[in-house]
Structure formats: structure tokens, C-alpha cells
Amino acid sequence: MTFADHLQQVFTPHHLPNPSDAAISAFLDVPCQMSLSIKPFSSKEVVEALAHINVRKAPVYDLISGKVPKELPKKAVTVLTILYNSILRLSHYPLLWKFAQIIMVPKPGKPVVDVTSYRPIILLPISSKVFEKLLLKRLRSDIDLSTLLPDYQFGFRAGHSTIHQTHRVVHEIAKDLEGQQLCTAVFLDVAQAFDKVWHTGLVYKLKTTLPGPYYLLLKTYLHFATFNSSTTAPTPPVMRCYLVFHREVS
């Protein structure tokens, strides 16, 4: 329960008064503009996504390991494709696919008696991970993400590594020095920014940048983003703790 209490605090968002909350809520209540539906997935796309699954993926509560999807017959792949396309058509993400197990892995060289010395690893059902990959691929083909993200955004972007960002910063410094100009920099490290992200603001950004079908689907994906511990989880191995996590947003 020590890990559960720690993660409960980590995953609790900050409740700070925001004068724009009412305006944002009113904007989210406005219906989306008409737009084309998301193109359905083909069985070939699902087969390709299943082929890239790591066979060493550990099973979660559904007990489906990484080996199972690779052994699916053609009929099962067809059913899975119909299920994925139903999610696109209904703009509704299954609740059970949002539940995950959290494994607490110790950080090297850190004291084992300190709960902050463990890194939480979230394990989602494989069927959910496959759908996420398919949706991301479709999103990238339908929308030019480079126009939505600034050039200096390097996190979670293909072809943008820490080395590239370091090179960009050094280049900007050198350019200003050669031009005999002042060069200033501000480095801000936000603790647990991902864990405590403002979901209402995130949904607002999704609605202002993405087509209606993508926004509605991702909104249900973020719905129910809270943390709850569970005593019905499997018996944990040494140095690991299994917990249950799911998403929620008001």
C-alpha cells in the first residue's frame, strides 16, 4: 500500500483556480463542426500492426501475451478489424482497454526503502496498444502534424532526439555570439508534468487543432483518467508492485 499511496499522490492533478475555466467549459460544450469520418482500417493494416508486436510483451489482466496476436487466424483478425472500425465509427474507446497494471521498477543506485526510487511502468492490454498504433498512423496520414507543433518541440517526435535539440541550442548561441548580440536562456523543469497534466486544457487543445472525429475519440480515450489501487491484482514478484490505473477527465 506504500506504493499505492505514493502513486495516488503523484497522479492527483493540481487544483489551481483558473479564470478561463468557465470559457473553456463553454467552448467544449459547443458541437464540433462537420468533417469527414476517419478512414476505416483494413485487415491488412491490422495484420501489419500485429506483426510488429514484441512477443516478449507481458500479459496484463486479460492474460494475452505478445505471442497470442501473432497466432490469430484470418477470421479472428477480421473480427478484430470490425471491432477497431466500430471504435472509429462510434468515437468511443472501450473502458476495459483503459485499465492498466503499473509495475514499480527500482532505479539503479537508488535506496530501495524510498518510494521515489522506483519508476512506474504502465502495461496496457495488447489489443489497446495495437489500436493506438493504428490510430496514430491514420492521424499522421490525415493531418500534417508539423504545422501543429513548433519547430522547437522535440519531445515525442520522430527524428527529433536530445542530440538534435542540443545542437539547435548550441547553434542559436553561436549565431548570437557571432552577431555580437545578447543571448539569454530560461530552463524550466516542471516536476511530474505528464502525471499531473490539466486534462480539460488538453481536451481544449485537441478540439481546436484536430478534426471532429479525432477529437471525439481522443476525448473518450482520456475519459476516466484517475488512479486506483487494487487488491485483486496478481501476486507481485520481488521488487515489483502491480496496481490498476485508468484514465478519467471530468
Side-chain angles (χ1 to χ4, degrees), residues 13-15 18 20-29 196-208 215 219 222-223 225 248-250:
H14 296 295
H15 294 286
N18 192 330
S20 61
D21 281 348
I24 291 177
S25 298
F27 174 77
L28 295 178
D29 291 336
K196 297 180 178 293
V197 64
W198 181 33
H199 283 172
T200 303
L202 178 59
V203 172
Y204 173 84
K205 284 190 174 182
L206 291 175
K207 188 172 183 179
T208 55
Y215 157 71
K219 181 181 178 182
L222 293 171
H223 194 55
E248 178 178 14
V249 64
S250 57

Side-chain angles (χ1 to χ4, degrees), residues 9 18 22 46 62 78 88 102 146 162 235-236:
Q9 181 180 3
N18 192 330
V46 176
D62 57 5
T78 302
L88 296 182
I102 297 182
S146 62
T162 305
T235 303

Side-chain angles (χ1 to χ4, degrees), residues 216-228:
L216 294 174
L217 178 56
L218 292 176
K219 181 181 178 182
T220 66
Y221 178 83
L222 293 171
H223 194 55
F224 287 115
T226 57
F227 169 84
N228 288 299

Side-chain angles (χ1 to χ4, degrees), residues 41-109:
F41 303 122
S42 64
S43 297
K44 182 180 178 181
E45 289 178 297
V46 176
V47 170
E48 291 176 351
L50 294 175
H52 287 85
I53 295 177
N54 186 351
V55 295
R56 300 179 61 184
K57 283 285 185 182
V60 289
Y61 62 85
D62 57 5
L63 303 181
I64 299 178
S65 66
K67 295 181 180 180
V68 175
K70 293 180 177 293
E71 303 296 333
L72 291 178
K74 185 176 180 180
K75 231 177 231 189
V77 174
T78 302
V79 173
L80 190 59
T81 304
I82 294 174
L83 176 60
Y84 286 158
N85 288 331
S86 298
I87 296 174
L88 296 182
R89 187 176 67 256
L90 300 175
S91 297
H92 178 77
Y93 202 83
L95 177 61
L96 288 179
W97 284 4
K98 302 177 189 180
F99 286 85
Q101 288 178 336
I102 297 182
I103 301 178
M104 302 299 290
V105 180
K107 300 177 183 178

Side-chain angles (χ1 to χ4, degrees), residues 72-244:
L72 291 178
K74 185 176 180 180
K75 231 177 231 189
V77 174
T78 302
V79 173
L80 190 59
T81 304
I82 294 174
L83 176 60
Y84 286 158
N85 288 331
S86 298
I87 296 174
L88 296 182
R89 187 176 67 256
L90 300 175
S91 297
H92 178 77
Y93 202 83
L95 177 61
L96 288 179
W97 284 4
K98 302 177 189 180
F99 286 85
Q101 288 178 336
I102 297 182
I103 301 178
M104 302 299 290
V105 180
K107 300 177 183 178
K110 299 292 184 178
V112 297
V113 296
D114 189 354
V115 292
T116 60
S117 300
Y118 294 81
R119 180 181 294 107
I121 305 297
I122 298 178
L123 301 179
L124 285 164
I126 292 179
S127 52
S128 175
K129 299 292 290 183
V130 171
F131 179 81
E132 290 177 6
K133 292 181 182 298
L134 289 169
L135 183 64
L136 178 60
K137 182 179 179 180
R138 183 69 82 246
L139 179 64
R140 285 175 172 170
S141 64
D142 290 346
I143 302 171
D144 185 9
L145 297 180
S146 62
T147 61
L148 301 180
L149 300 175
D151 294 336
Y152 51 82
Q153 170 68 40
F154 276 68
F156 304 100
R157 294 185 68 183
H160 293 68
S161 66
T162 305
I163 296 177
H164 294 127
Q165 179 70 299
T166 304
H167 176 74
R168 188 187 73 87
V169 172
V170 172
H171 172 72
E172 292 295 330
I173 294 174
K175 183 178 67 174
D176 287 344
L177 292 179
E178 289 177 1
Q180 296 183 346
Q181 297 178 340
L182 294 176
C183 182
T184 60
V186 177
F187 297 90
L188 177 63
D189 184 11
V190 181
Q192 299 172 344
F194 180 80
D195 300 327
K196 297 180 178 293
V197 64
W198 181 33
H199 283 172
T200 303
L202 178 59
V203 172
Y204 173 84
K205 284 190 174 182
L206 291 175
K207 188 172 183 179
T208 55
T209 55
L210 298 181
Y214 283 104
Y215 157 71
L216 294 174
L217 178 56
L218 292 176
K219 181 181 178 182
T220 66
Y221 178 83
L222 293 171
H223 194 55
F224 287 115
T226 57
F227 169 84
N228 288 299
S229 60
S230 173
T231 56
T232 58
T235 303
V238 179
M239 303 301 292
R240 292 188 176 188
C241 176
Y242 286 79
L243 302 167
V244 173

